[in-house]
C-alpha cells in the first residue's frame, strides 16, 4: 500500500471541459453531460520515501500512469457495499524540479483525474471532497523489482547488508520499487488526526502558497479551521515554536506541582484535623488560581499559629515547611 493525497485545485471544483468529457465518456455506459459529472484530482503516489522506507522510481510512476487508467476507487469501507466509486479517466506524472525527495532526486508524483456522477447518493462525498476532509488516498499495486537504494541489490533474491531507514555516508537506505505490473486499487482512507499532521508535513504542495508564513500566521489559520499545507521551511518554523511552548508548559507544570505540595504542607499546619491524603486529593483538583488563594491564606494563618522560632527551626520537622515556604516562588 502506498499513500497519496487529494490535490487542491486552482480551477473551480468539478468543472468538466469538453476534452475531459470525451475521455470520461470512454468509460461510461451512456453519454454523460458535463453538469452530471463531478471531477477531482488526486495524487495517487509519488517518489518520496514513505513510512515503510519504500519509494517508487520515476519510471515506475510512468508505468503506473498507464496501469491506473480506468481503475475505480472506493470512498471508504462503509460505502464499499453501496458500490459508490470514482473512476480514473486521466493520469499524468508531474515533476517539481525545485523539490527533492529524500534521495535527492527531483520530486515526481502521479496525478490522476477521477470522475463520479453527481447523484444524491454521492452528494455527501462530493461535499467532503470540496471541503478537503477526505484527503489521503491509498493505492495497491504490484511491482517486479525491489532494490536497495545503497547497493542496488535485488531484494527479491534476498536481503543485502543494508538496513532500511539507516543512513550510509549521508545516503538514506530504502527499498526502491520499480517495474510495476499491476495496479489493483485506490481508495480514500479515513485519516486519524495524528496522521493528518504527518501528511501535511510530508506533502507540501506548490499550488497556492507563496513565501514562508510565520508560526503565528500558521497558528491563526489553524485556529480559523483553514485547510492548509506547510512547506518544509514552515514545518521547521512551527516545530521550533512547538518546542518552545513545550518547554514553557514543562516549567508551568513544575511550578504548579510545587505550589500544590506547599498548599498541602501548609494545610497540615493550619488544619491538622484534615488528613494529608484527603488534602492531597483536594489540592489535585484545584486550579492554579485556587491553589494560590489557599497558599496565601494558609501562609497568613500559619504565620499567626506558629511564628517561626529560629532556635527550633532545625529541631522540629514540621517547622521546616514554614521556613522553606519563604523561599518558594
Ligand atoms: Zn544494500
Amino acid at each position: 500500500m502506498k499513500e497519496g493525497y487529494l490535490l487542491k485545485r486552482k480551477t473551480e471544483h468539478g468543472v468538466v471541459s469538453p476534452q475531459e468529457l470525451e475521455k470520461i465518456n470512454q468509460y461510461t455506459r451512456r453519454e454523460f453531460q458535463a453538469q452530471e459529472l463531478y471531477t477531482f484530482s488526486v495524487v495517487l503516489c509519488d517518489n518520496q520515501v514513505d513510512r515503510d522506507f519504500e519509494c517508487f522510481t520515476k519510471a515506475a510512476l510512468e508505468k503506473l500512469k498507464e496501469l491506473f487508467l480506468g481503475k475505480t476507487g472506493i470512498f471508504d469501507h462503509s460505502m464499499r457495499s453501496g458500490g459508490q466509486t470514482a473512476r480514473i479517466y486521466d493520469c499524468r506524472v508531474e515533476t517539481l524540479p525545485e523539490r527533492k525527495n529524500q534521495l535527492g532526486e527531483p520530486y515526481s508524483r502521479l496525478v490522476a483525474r477521477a470522475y463520479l456522477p453527481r447523484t444524491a447518493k454521492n452528494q455527501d462525498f462530493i461535499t467532503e471532497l470540496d471541503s478537503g476532509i477526505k484527503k489521503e488516498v491509498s493505492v495497491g499495486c504490484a511491482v517486479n523489482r525491489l532494490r536497495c537504494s545503497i547497493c542496488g541489490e535485488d531484494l527479491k533474491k534476498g536481503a543485502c547488508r543494508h538496513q532500511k531507514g539507516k543512513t550510509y555516508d549521508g545516503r538514506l537506505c530504502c527499498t526502491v520499487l520499480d517495474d510495476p505490473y499491476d495496479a489493483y486499487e485506490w481508495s480514500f482512507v479515513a485519516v486519524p488526526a495524528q496522521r493528518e499532521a504527518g501528511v501535511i508535513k510530508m506533502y507540501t504542495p506548490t499550488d497556492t502558497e507563496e513565501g514562508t508564513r510565520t508560526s503565528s500566521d500558521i497558528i491563526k489559520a489553524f485556529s480559523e479551521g483553514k485547510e492548509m499545507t506547510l512547506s518544509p521551511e514552515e514545518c521547521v518554523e512551527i516545530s521550533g515554536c512547538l518546542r518552545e511552548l513545550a518547554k514553557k508548559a514543562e516549567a508551568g507544570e513544575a511550578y504548579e506541582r510545587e505550589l500544590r505540595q506547599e498548599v498541602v504542607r501548609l494545610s497540615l499546619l493550619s488544619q491538622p484535623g484534615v488528613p494529608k491524603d484527603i488534602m492531597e486529593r483536594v489540592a489535585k483538583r484545584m486550579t492554579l488560581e485556587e491553589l494560590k488563594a489557599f497558599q496565601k491564606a494558609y501562609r497568613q494563618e500559619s504565620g499567626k499559629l506558629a511564628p517561626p522560632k529560629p532556635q527550633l527551626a532545625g529541631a522540629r520537622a514540621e517547622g521546616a515547611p514554614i521556613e522553606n515556604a519563604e523561599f518558594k516562588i
Side-chain angles (χ1 to χ4, degrees):
M1 283 291 192
K2 297 285 288 182
E3 271 140 25
Y5 53 100
L6 190 68
L7 198 64
K8 270 201 254 176
R9 276 156 298 155
K10 274 183 272 186
T11 55
E12 212 182 318
H13 285 229
V15 175
V16 185
S17 72
Q19 295 88 332
E20 282 185 304
L21 191 59
E22 200 177 308
K23 282 183 184 164
I24 292 169
N25 275 324
Q26 293 175 354
Y27 296 103
T28 57
R29 282 202 204 111
R30 67 168 174 85
E31 288 275 304
F32 272 85
Q33 301 300 311
Q35 65 271 20
E36 295 178 281
L37 296 163
Y38 179 86
T39 60
F40 58 95
S41 294
V42 282
V43 174
L44 294 175
C45 48
D46 55 27
N47 65 343
Q48 293 269 36
V49 178
D50 69 9
R51 295 179 193 96
D52 302 320
F53 296 104
E54 292 181 345
C55 78
F56 286 116
T57 60
K58 195 185 170 205
L61 297 178
E62 292 287 353
K63 191 107 183 266
L64 286 169
K65 182 178 85 174
E66 309 299 327
L67 293 169
F68 270 110
L69 265 185
K71 290 281 184 327
T72 52
I74 48 173
F75 303 162
D76 62 45
H77 298 289
S78 64
M79 286 176 179
R80 208 183 274 262
S81 52
Q84 280 158 295
T85 57
R87 191 191 293 269
I88 293 172
Y89 65 92
D90 202 5
C91 265
R92 67 178 189 276
V93 175
E94 268 181 13
T95 297
L96 311 172
E98 72 280 9
R99 274 186 68 190
K100 301 275 185 270
N101 72 359
Q102 299 92 323
L103 303 179
E105 297 158 350
Y107 174 75
S108 294
R109 58 189 185 185
L110 176 59
V111 184
R113 294 280 296 160
Y115 73 89
L116 65 158
R118 288 184 184 270
T119 59
K121 231 171 52 165
N122 284 339
Q123 194 45 58
D124 283 352
F125 182 68
I126 290 171
T127 307
E128 284 177 19
L129 283 174
D130 273 340
S131 67
I133 291 172
K134 284 186 183 289
K135 270 199 303 214
E136 206 166 330
V137 177
S138 164
V139 301
C141 60
V143 298
N144 276 324
R145 288 178 55 209
L146 306 170
R147 62 178 168 80
C148 169
S149 65
I150 303 294
C151 66
E153 184 95 356
D154 183 351
L155 298 176
K156 279 207 165 174
K157 288 183 186 151
C160 64
R161 62 188 180 86
H162 300 109
Q163 219 178 321
K164 279 203 284 189
K166 280 202 167 178
T167 306
Y168 299 88
D169 286 333
R171 288 162 68 211
L172 178 66
C173 174
C174 67
T175 302
V176 178
L177 310 177
D178 208 357
D179 195 14
Y181 61 91
D182 197 9
Y184 31 86
E185 65 176 10
W186 65 282
S187 57
F188 280 94
V189 289
V191 186
Q194 215 50 41
R195 285 273 306 285
E196 186 141 20
V199 171
I200 289 173
K201 186 167 178 261
M202 270 173 70
Y203 301 120
T204 56
T206 51
D207 297 295
T208 49
E209 311 301 347
E210 61 284 306
T212 302
R213 292 164 294 190
T214 65
S215 52
S216 59
D217 287 344
I218 297 166
I219 291 164
K220 184 166 172 276
F222 267 135
S223 64
E224 286 167 357
K226 280 189 189 149
E227 192 200 349
M228 79 181 119
T229 34
L230 304 179
S231 70
E233 295 76 25
E234 288 168 343
C235 287
V236 169
E237 170 88 23
I238 202 92
S239 59
C241 178
L242 288 174
R243 260 199 306 278
E244 202 57 40
L245 283 174
K247 236 192 274 173
K248 282 183 184 160
E250 212 174 288
E253 274 167 19
Y255 165 67
E256 200 177 330
R257 203 164 42 237
E258 278 175 28
L259 183 60
R260 192 174 294 121
Q261 283 165 357
E262 199 202 342
V263 165
V264 172
R265 276 199 304 268
L266 291 171
S267 107
L268 293 178
L269 293 171
S270 302
Q271 305 169 286
V274 180
K276 190 183 175 197
D277 61 318
I278 289 185
M279 198 52 214
E280 277 172 344
R281 264 178 279 156
V282 171
K284 218 172 208 171
R285 283 197 292 269
M286 284 185 194
T287 64
L288 198 60
E289 200 186 345
E290 288 164 349
L291 285 168
K292 277 187 190 162
F294 273 84
Q295 180 199 41
K296 194 176 165 197
Y298 281 148
R299 274 182 175 178
Q300 286 167 354
E301 193 66 19
S302 62
K304 269 185 252 159
L305 287 177
K309 293 171 184 159
Q311 71 273 27
L312 291 175
R316 286 179 59 224
E318 69 267 39
I322 307 170
E323 291 282 292
N324 288 346
E326 305 308 315
F327 299 101
K328 294 279 173 195
I329 314 310

